[in-house]
Amino acid sequence: MRCKICGGTATQILDHICGNCLKKEPERIVQDLTKKAHSESRMIPPVLPPQDPGGVTCYECGNLCRIKEEEYGFCRLRQVKNGRIHTRINTSREAVGIFYFDPLPTNCVADWVCPGGTGAGYPQYAYSPGPEYGYKNLAIFFGSCSFDCLYCQNSSYREMALKGKPLFTVQEIIRSLDDKSACICFFGGDPSPQMSFALSVAREALKEKRVRF
């Protein structure tokens, strides 16, 4: 197989590029390959956080997208219309994604440090000094993300963000909690594009004293 840059037949190293060419311009070649891989893995624009020089800056997350008129930010939830950023949903009261219960201490992302799996901080942050058997975790999967992970294991969030659904509300979350709901886990995707919703849920849950954080 020939190198697509020099045409030589040196041993293939990376995506049909020989070792000699890779050594000459490693940074440029790796950057080009990374952009290509991101594009092919996503197939849903924008591929990278937009940074249009004349765009409107969104301050919702650390990407600080600069969005052109009529185009969307990287989270796909915010669009610029008439020079202003418009959000497709009221993220302080509703969110794109799904939620469900998991029995503790199984399937907790941070089980090895979480009070639900270790009892850390008992009795203030946990219901038992060890794993909280008999209790459950409310998992909130956000259908949007501010990261750019090449091999994302939860890529279904992209379709959710693009469609803007399914939707659920703060009150639906609060009504689902009971005395066996030990904690809430925000993941997805990630919470940052819908952080105001996550904060609203946390405040309401603490107000109702349904869970411990």
Side-chain angles (χ1 to χ4, degrees), residues 12-207:
Q12 179 184 333
I13 299 295
L14 187 63
D15 195 36
H16 309 305
I17 298 175
C18 72
N20 290 334
C21 289
L22 186 59
K23 291 173 185 176
K24 289 177 183 177
E25 297 183 88
E27 291 185 7
R28 181 187 67 79
I29 291 174
V30 169
Q31 186 178 48
D32 289 347
L33 290 174
T34 300
K35 288 181 179 179
K36 176 175 177 287
H38 285 175
S39 177
E40 291 178 349
S41 69
R42 292 183 178 279
M43 304 305 291
I44 301 175
V47 175
L48 295 172
Q51 294 296 317
D52 185 85
V56 179
T57 302
C58 175
Y59 295 95
E60 190 69 22
C61 76
N63 283 331
L64 298 178
C65 292
R66 294 201 296 270
I67 312 168
K68 288 176 63 176
E69 184 71 23
E70 297 295 328
E71 293 192 357
Y72 285 94
F74 189 64
C75 68
R76 304 174 184 88
L77 298 180
R78 291 170 180 83
Q79 183 183 30
V80 170
K81 293 182 179 180
N82 300 318
R84 300 186 65 180
I85 294 176
H86 292 263
T87 304
R88 289 197 285 171
I89 59 174
N90 178 4
T91 52
S92 65
R93 304 309 302 171
E94 59 185 1
V96 176
I98 59 174
F99 66 94
Y100 55 90
F101 282 101
D102 271 325
L104 288 169
T106 61
N107 199 33
C108 181
V109 175
D111 175 56
W112 57 287
V113 295
C114 175
T118 64
Y122 173 82
Q124 184 175 1
Y125 299 110
Y127 291 101
S128 64
E132 294 183 328
Y133 296 110
Y135 289 91
K136 56 189 177 182
N137 160 60
L138 177 63
I140 297 181
F141 181 101
F142 283 113
S144 183
C145 194
S146 63
F147 291 100
D148 191 31
C149 303
L150 181 56
Y151 298 108
C152 177
Q153 66 176 7
N154 289 328
S155 58
S156 59
Y157 82 81
R158 296 171 189 154
E159 289 294 334
M160 294 182 188
L162 193 65
K163 295 176 181 177
K165 58 183 182 181
L167 290 173
F168 55 90
T169 67
V170 171
Q171 286 309 309
E172 286 181 87
I173 295 292
I174 300 304
R175 285 197 298 268
S176 72
L177 299 172
D178 57 27
D179 58 359
K180 292 297 182 180
S181 305
C183 57
I184 300 176
C185 174
F186 300 104
F187 71 117
D190 83 296
S192 59
Q194 304 183 82
M195 184 58 73
S196 56
F197 180 89
L199 292 173
S200 294
V201 167
R203 292 190 187 103
E204 289 295 323
L206 288 172
K207 181 180 177 181

